[in-house]
């Protein structure tokens, strides 16, 4: 069977030339398309008889606003209209070099799974239609020199009709029909009917795209509101970052949401992760030598179509993913961090609209970080002011009174003639001297800044306990088991301190406790046999109310699981088990 030329114009049924080229007359011949007498407004009887079917098809295509459903409906309607076994729509990618989506009808799920990967439009007949979007009709598509054949398990196809779909004057994609059911070729009437349907499909797709864009903007705005609400509700910095990561993953339809902050060495550290699996990347640092870090710290967004093969990636984590958006979180000229939304390998890249919306969300997240930072500064300033006030009071009032009391006791000791009284008073004076020295040591510790404290884990634990003593009104007791400073690594130690801070903060804000015990045990054996460190914070407060907020406890569990550990809570050390005991453990 001969293959008609794709460039030859054939006359339309009303006698006007085909501006796109119908691809020849196929099996019907050019004369079959010429107008004949007798029909609706001079149309041929065959075309006139199909007008009701065309109108019904146009009505069906115009219903609904969801884009993918609209594409699926167009395929189904076009197949019915042209009596074709198979129909598909290839959506041209934004760069115009391939297909970003391929919607099909007529091939069952099992066959599609056996065929495997969908066409990408980079080669073959589908690729040719992308670069030359015009109506194409073939009697045997396998005989066309542009055809690259079918993959294994693909059903046989001969007759072919391809029609471009335009949305607001721009090529959206192509509508493909193959295998006319009666074994014949697609004729001129099929061409004209499908072209009319493609015009209506362009309108329907345009409406669906506008609706979907509006819904997408609404979702991103809601996500920004959720981040702001989390901060205004009094959430701490870590919880706010976790909300940013979680919302970004959901909104960007990505495999993970990741937040990075600059570290002291010039690189960027992963401080929040939202993903389906364990957040094993938490605490990972991207070194400053990375070209990506340099771009991000300069406030430039980074987009990748495939992170696994991008030469700029330097970590194993990046090589797990495909398309990636990396958006700097900057405000007032400062780069506060980076928001990363990676998709799985083989998934579609991010569109321009998604990139724009994500950048706007990142700006809102940067503002959230600024607010969280300002809140931490206010809290830190309040703590330092309290510590300075307490240090002054201890020095100006308590020590002076103790010193005066000691002098009075020494005077009474000299006047006493009873040896037992002299010995007792002497011991009391010695105890007062020791007490004065201890108070002076405490004053010195209160006046120290965070940077002046040694970096050992034991010292950092004590520092957190001393800082918590100010708002609590009492100092929690503490106990260390094992060589805490020598065996616990930096990553586990840093997360343990954050967990301790969270637990003490929860006890202060919610427990109303009068006693808190802190235990750090570096000799525990974890369920998987690894050696680990365990933090236990127990109080005698009111316990956790039924239905109360547990965001802090979730943070503790998420932090532990990211290191391969766990966290849980139970009854406390109050009367009849009153209060709460929080346990956090991780390998070191």
């Amino acid at each position: 069977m001969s293959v008609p030329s794709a460039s030859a114009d054939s006359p339309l049924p009303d006698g006007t030339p085909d501006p796109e080229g119908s691809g020849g007359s196929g099996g019907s011949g050019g004369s079959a398309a010429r107008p004949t007498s007798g029909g609706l407004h001079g149309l041929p009887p065959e075309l006139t008889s199909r007008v009701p079917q065309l109108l019904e098809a146009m009505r069906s295509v115009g219903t609904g606003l969801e884009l993918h459903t609209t594409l699926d409906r167009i395929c189904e309607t076009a197949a019915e209209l042209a009596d074709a076994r198979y129909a598909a729509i290839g959506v041209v990618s934004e760069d115009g070099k391939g297909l970003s989506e391929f919607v099909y009808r007529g091939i069952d799920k099992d066959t599609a799974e056996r065929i495997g990967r969908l066409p990408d439009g980079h080669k073959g007949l589908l690729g040719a239609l992308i670069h030359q979007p015009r109506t194409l009709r073939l009697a045997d598509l396998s005989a066309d020199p542009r055809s690259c054949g079918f993959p294994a398990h693909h059903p046989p196809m001969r007759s072919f009709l391809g029609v471009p779909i335009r949305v607001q004057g721009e090529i959206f994609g192509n509508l493909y029909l193959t295998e006319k059911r009666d074994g014949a070729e697609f004729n001129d009437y099929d061409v004209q009917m499908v072209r009319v349907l493609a015009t209506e499909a362009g309108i329907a797709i345009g409406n669906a795209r506008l609706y979907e864009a509006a819904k997408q903007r609404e979702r991103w705005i809601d996500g920004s509101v959720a981040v702001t609400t989390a901060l205004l509700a009094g959430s701490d910095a870590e919880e706010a970052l976790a909300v940013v990561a979680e919302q970004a993953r959901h909104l960007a339809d990505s495999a993970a949401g990741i937040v990075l902050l600059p570290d002291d060495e010039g690189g960027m550290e992963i401080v929040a992760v939202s993903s389906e699996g364990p957040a094993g990347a938490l605490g990972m640092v991207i070194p400053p030598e990375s070209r990506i870090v340099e771009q991000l710290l300069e406030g430039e967004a980074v987009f990748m179509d495939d992170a696994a093969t991008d030469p700029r990636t330097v970590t194993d984590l990046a090589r797990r993913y495909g398309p990636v958006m990396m958006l700097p979180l900057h405000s007032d000229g400062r780069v506060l961090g980076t928001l990363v939304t990676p998709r799985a390998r083989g998934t579609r890249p991010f569109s321009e609209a998604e990139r724009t919306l994500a950048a706007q969300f990142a700006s809102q997240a940067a503002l959230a970080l600024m607010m969280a930072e300002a809140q931490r500064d206010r809290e830190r300033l309040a703590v330092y002011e309290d510590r300075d006030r307490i240090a002054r009071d201890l020095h100006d009032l308590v020590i002076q009174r103790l010193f005066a009391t000691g002098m009075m006791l020494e005077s009474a000791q000299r006047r006493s003639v009873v040896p037992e009284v002299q010995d007792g008073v002497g011991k009391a004076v010695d105890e007062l001297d020791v007490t004065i020295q201890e108070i002076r040591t405490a004053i010195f510790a209160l006046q120290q800044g965070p940077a002046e404290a040694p970096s050992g884990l034991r010292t950092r634990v004590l520092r957190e306990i001393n800082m918590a003593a100010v708002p609590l009104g009492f100092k929690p007791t503490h106990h260390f088991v094992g060589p805490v400073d020598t065996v616990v690594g930096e990553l586990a130690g840093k997360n343990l301190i954050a967990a301790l801070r969270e637990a003490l903060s929860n006890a202060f804000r919610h427990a109303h406790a009068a006693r808190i015990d802190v235990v750090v045990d570096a000799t525990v054996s974890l369920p998987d046999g690894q050696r680990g460190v365990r933090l236990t914070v127990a109080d005698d407060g009111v316990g956790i109310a039924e239905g109360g907020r547990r965001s802090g406890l979730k943070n503790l569990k998420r932090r532990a699981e990211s290191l391969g550990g766990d966290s849980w809570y139970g009854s406390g050390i109050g009367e009849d088990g009153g209060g709460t005991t929080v346990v956090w453990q991780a390998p070191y």
Side-chain angles (χ1 to χ4, degrees):
M1 181 178 294
S2 63
V3 180
S5 170
S7 61
D9 290 343
S10 63
L12 298 179
D14 61 2
T16 59
D18 179 0
E20 294 181 351
S22 65
S25 59
S28 15
S31 60
R34 298 191 183 279
T36 60
S37 60
L40 185 62
H41 298 293
L43 295 178
E46 181 178 344
L47 189 58
T48 303
S49 66
R50 298 173 69 179
V51 167
Q53 184 185 8
L54 176 61
L55 293 176
E56 175 60 26
M58 293 171 65
R59 185 202 65 79
S60 175
V61 166
T63 59
L65 287 173
E66 200 276 327
L67 181 57
H68 193 277
T69 302
T70 299
L71 296 178
D72 194 66
R73 188 182 299 113
I74 293 170
C75 287
E76 182 180 7
T77 304
E80 293 175 356
L81 190 64
D83 197 26
R85 292 184 184 275
Y86 308 104
I89 292 178
V91 181
V92 178
S93 59
E94 290 187 351
D95 60 10
K97 297 179 180 179
L99 299 177
S100 63
E101 194 169 359
F102 191 82
V103 181
Y104 58 89
R105 296 283 293 186
I107 297 179
D108 59 79
K109 183 178 179 181
D110 293 338
T111 303
E113 290 179 352
R114 288 196 299 270
I115 294 173
R117 189 173 182 178
L118 295 173
D120 56 16
H122 290 156
K123 59 182 179 179
L125 199 57
L126 301 190
L129 285 174
I130 292 175
H131 300 293
Q132 295 179 329
R134 58 190 303 175
T135 303
L136 177 64
R137 177 176 52 182
L138 300 172
D140 184 358
L141 62 89
S142 63
D144 191 282
R146 295 165 292 185
S147 177
C148 60
F150 295 119
H153 308 294
H154 197 286
M157 296 180 180
R158 292 177 58 84
S159 55
F160 176 87
L161 175 59
V163 178
I165 298 176
R166 288 178 169 83
V167 177
Q168 297 177 346
E170 297 182 356
I171 291 296
F172 170 82
N174 290 284
L175 173 61
Y176 316 110
L177 297 170
T178 59
E179 280 297 285
K180 202 165 172 67
R181 291 185 182 275
D182 58 6
E185 304 167 21
F186 294 104
N187 57 38
D188 287 341
Y189 302 118
D190 294 325
V191 172
Q192 303 313 318
M193 299 280 277
V194 173
R195 285 184 58 193
V196 172
L197 181 66
T199 302
E200 180 66 23
I203 298 172
I205 290 170
N207 293 335
R209 290 173 77 178
L210 289 173
Y211 175 77
E212 201 154 278
K215 295 294 290 182
Q216 191 177 43
R217 283 195 296 271
E218 182 182 354
R219 289 195 298 270
W220 282 96
I221 291 172
D222 289 343
S224 298
V225 171
V227 172
T228 305
T229 302
L231 282 172
L232 295 179
S235 302
D236 58 20
E238 290 185 7
E239 185 173 348
L241 293 174
V243 171
V244 170
E246 183 176 352
Q247 288 293 330
R249 177 175 73 93
H250 171 69
L251 295 169
D253 191 24
S254 56
I258 302 171
V259 177
L260 300 93
L261 297 182
D263 69 355
D264 297 334
E265 304 298 326
M268 302 200 78
E269 180 186 358
I270 296 177
V271 297
V273 177
S274 173
S275 63
E276 292 294 338
L282 197 65
M284 181 182 295
V285 175
I286 302 177
E289 296 79 16
S290 168
R291 291 165 53 193
I292 294 176
V293 169
E294 182 179 351
Q295 288 180 263
L296 293 172
L297 292 178
E298 289 177 355
E300 299 178 17
V302 176
F303 301 101
M304 303 179 189
D305 289 336
D306 187 7
T309 58
D310 196 293
R312 293 172 293 178
T313 57
V314 296
T315 63
D316 293 334
L317 175 65
R319 297 187 178 98
R320 304 177 192 171
Y321 299 110
V324 175
M325 287 192 295
M326 305 184 77
L327 304 165
L329 305 171
H330 53 79
S331 181
D332 292 336
R334 292 177 54 202
V335 176
L336 306 175
T338 297
L339 175 62
V340 182
T341 55
R343 282 178 175 164
R345 298 198 65 184
T347 55
R348 63 180 178 86
F350 293 97
S351 66
E352 285 297 328
E354 288 174 320
R355 293 182 180 187
T356 301
L357 291 170
Q360 294 171 352
F361 177 84
S363 298
Q364 181 67 31
L367 178 60
L369 285 176
M370 291 286 287
M371 294 173 62
E373 186 177 22
Q375 180 177 339
R376 290 196 302 271
D377 288 343
R378 288 194 301 269
E379 293 174 351
R380 190 179 297 115
L381 180 60
V383 170
Y384 289 158
E385 288 176 347
D386 276 347
R387 290 170 64 175
D388 287 342
R389 177 184 56 79
I390 292 170
R392 287 195 304 271
D393 290 345
L394 288 174
H395 182 271
D396 297 341
L397 300 176
V398 178
I399 288 183
Q400 295 298 329
R401 289 183 179 179
L402 289 175
F403 187 74
T405 302
M407 292 182 65
M408 291 172 60
L409 289 174
E410 286 180 341
S411 176
Q413 183 185 32
R414 287 193 296 270
R415 287 196 294 266
S416 175
V417 295
V418 181
E420 290 81 359
V421 174
Q422 290 181 338
D423 291 342
V425 172
K427 291 179 180 179
V429 171
D430 292 340
E431 288 293 330
L432 285 176
D433 288 340
V434 172
T435 302
I436 290 172
Q437 291 301 321
E438 290 179 348
I439 292 175
R440 283 176 174 166
T441 301
I443 292 173
F444 177 74
L446 286 170
Q447 291 175 335
Q448 275 189 318
E452 298 168 338
S455 58
L457 180 58
R458 184 186 298 262
T459 303
R460 284 182 286 170
V461 169
L462 292 175
R463 177 172 169 269
E464 292 297 328
I465 291 174
N466 288 331
M467 290 185 66
V470 176
L472 286 170
F474 65 91
K475 183 177 178 180
T477 62
H478 61 273
H479 181 57
F480 296 97
V481 181
V484 173
D485 282 336
T486 57
V487 300
V488 181
E490 179 61 26
L491 181 59
K494 181 166 60 177
N495 282 276
L496 183 143
I497 292 299
L500 173 61
R501 188 181 302 127
E502 178 80 33
L504 291 175
S505 175
N506 288 340
F508 165 66
R509 289 185 296 177
H510 308 299
H512 307 294
R515 175 188 167 195
I516 298 177
D517 294 343
V518 177
V519 178
V520 179
D521 187 352
T523 64
V524 300
S525 179
L526 302 182
D528 60 1
Q530 294 188 78
R531 303 297 296 174
V533 59
R534 176 180 296 160
L535 168 69
T536 305
V537 180
D539 65 63
D540 63 349
V542 297
I544 300 176
E546 188 69 27
R549 290 185 60 191
R550 287 170 169 79
S551 56
L553 296 172
K554 290 179 181 177
N555 287 341
L556 291 174
K557 190 172 185 66
R558 182 167 56 243
R559 183 180 293 276
E561 289 177 345
S562 71
L563 300 175
D566 197 6
S567 179
W568 63 91
Y569 63 93
S571 57
I573 55 175
E575 187 176 351
D576 297 327
T580 306
T581 297
V582 176
V583 181
W584 185 95
Q585 64 183 24
Y588 52 66

